[in-house]
């Protein structure tokens, strides 16, 4: 997580996404919260009332009072300037002491001890690729595609229901991916997994939703 601003200053870090928020005190392990309904979509704040409600929930979770709090928002690389102004305005309306907004890619590199590199951020509804040089985002080398983790989740839901004729929730599909998904280190490894799958050479995988109810998710 982030350790920024004055070292002696307690800072609440808020990293908001479409599906979940990562929040907590700087330098500490963050807590994962579900994103308030309709608050954020594709990295953009779509309902300021819902966002404000989510922010108050953060204060309650951390047993912090706004008047004694300093906020650090982790924002997407191409976050609109108008949204930055509104974000600060909404935050100061709650009575916080200070607000700072910092783009996610340089912070991601900083957490790994680097100042230059390429950051790939796979979110719920989009994937962003951003080049960073000496802590500065290179806008000409940044791109975003409207494909994210939700695409995989929706595919698992569709395939599962087609195969077993049983509906599953988004949370259950996510659990299947987390517990039994394969991660390829490179294109060659991905092709090997695909070929093994087609040949039936991958070990069978059974997923249990509840005792006595098992499904093949190979």
């Amino acid at each position: 997580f982030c350790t920024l601003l004055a070292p002696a200053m307690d800072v609440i870090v808020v990293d908001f996404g479409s599906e979940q928020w990562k929040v907590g005190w700087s330098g500490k392990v963050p807590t994962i919260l579900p994103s308030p309904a309709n608050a954020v979509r594709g990295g953009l704040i779509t309902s300021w009332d819902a966002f404000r409600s989510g922010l108050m929930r953060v204060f309650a979770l951390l047993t912090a009072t706004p008047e004694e709090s300093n906020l650090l928002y982790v924002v997407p690389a191409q976050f609109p300037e108008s949204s930055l102004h509104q974000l600060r305005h909404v935050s100061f309306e709650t009575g916080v002491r200070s607000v700072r907004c910092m783009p996610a890619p340089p912070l991601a590199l900083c957490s790994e001890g680097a100042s230059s590199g390429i950051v790939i951020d796979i979110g719920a509804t989009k994937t962003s690729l951003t080049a960073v040089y000496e802590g500065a985002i290179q806008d000409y080398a940044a791109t975003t595609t409207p494909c994210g983790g939700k695409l995989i989740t929706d595919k698992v839901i569709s395939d599962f229901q087609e195969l077993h004729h049983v509906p599953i929730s988004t949370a259950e599909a996510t659990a299947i991916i987390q517990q039994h998904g394969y991660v390829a280190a490179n294109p060659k490894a991905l092709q090997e997994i695909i070929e093994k799958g087609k040949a039936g050479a991958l070990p069978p995988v059974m997923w249990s939703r509840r005792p006595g109810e098992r499904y093949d998710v190979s």
Side-chain angles (χ1 to χ4, degrees):
F1 223 36
C2 302
T3 305
L4 294 166
L5 303 183
M9 185 183 294
D10 289 329
V11 179
I12 295 176
V13 184
V14 180
D15 183 353
F16 54 86
S18 302
E19 297 294 326
Q20 64 183 27
W21 290 17
K22 289 178 283 187
V23 304
W25 296 104
S26 60
K28 305 295 183 181
V29 177
T31 297
I32 307 298
L33 294 176
S35 179
N38 304 317
V40 182
R41 178 71 178 176
L44 299 176
I45 299 173
T46 51
S47 171
W48 289 102
D49 288 338
F51 187 90
R52 185 183 292 104
S53 175
L55 183 57
M56 299 309 296
R57 188 169 48 150
V58 171
F59 291 136
L61 173 71
L62 301 177
T63 60
T65 58
E67 293 76 15
E68 299 177 352
S69 299
N70 303 285
L71 289 178
L72 170 63
Y73 289 108
V74 181
V75 300
Q78 298 170 319
F79 202 63
E81 188 67 29
S82 59
S83 294
L84 286 174
H85 288 307
Q86 184 67 11
L87 182 57
R88 297 185 186 102
H89 177 73
V90 167
S91 301
F92 280 122
E93 280 187 334
T94 68
V96 297
R97 294 168 57 188
S98 67
V99 179
R100 187 167 185 178
C101 304
M102 300 196 69
L107 293 180
L109 288 174
C110 181
S111 69
E112 298 297 325
S115 60
S116 301
I118 296 175
V119 179
I120 300 175
D121 183 1
I122 303 175
T125 59
K126 68 172 185 175
T127 297
S128 300
L129 186 149
T130 308
V132 179
Y133 180 72
E134 294 298 325
I137 292 175
Q138 308 301 301
D139 290 327
Y140 67 89
T143 186
T144 300
T145 178
C147 297
K150 190 174 184 299
L151 188 70
I152 300 174
T153 305
D154 290 345
K155 177 63 174 173
V156 170
I157 292 174
S158 174
D159 287 354
F160 188 95
Q161 293 180 170
E162 182 179 344
L163 180 62
H164 297 293
H165 306 288
V166 175
I168 59 172
S169 66
T170 298
E172 289 171 330
T174 301
I176 292 174
I177 295 169
Q178 292 175 341
Q179 295 171 20
H180 306 298
Y182 287 92
V183 177
N186 51 59
K188 182 180 178 181
L190 174 61
Q191 189 59 38
E192 290 176 354
I193 292 174
I194 293 173
E195 291 175 357
K196 286 182 178 180
K198 291 180 178 179
L202 294 176
V205 177
M206 302 302 294
W207 175 69
S208 177
R209 177 159 57 175
R210 56 179 65 93
E213 187 177 342
R214 292 168 61 80
Y215 299 94
D216 187 344
V217 295
S218 304

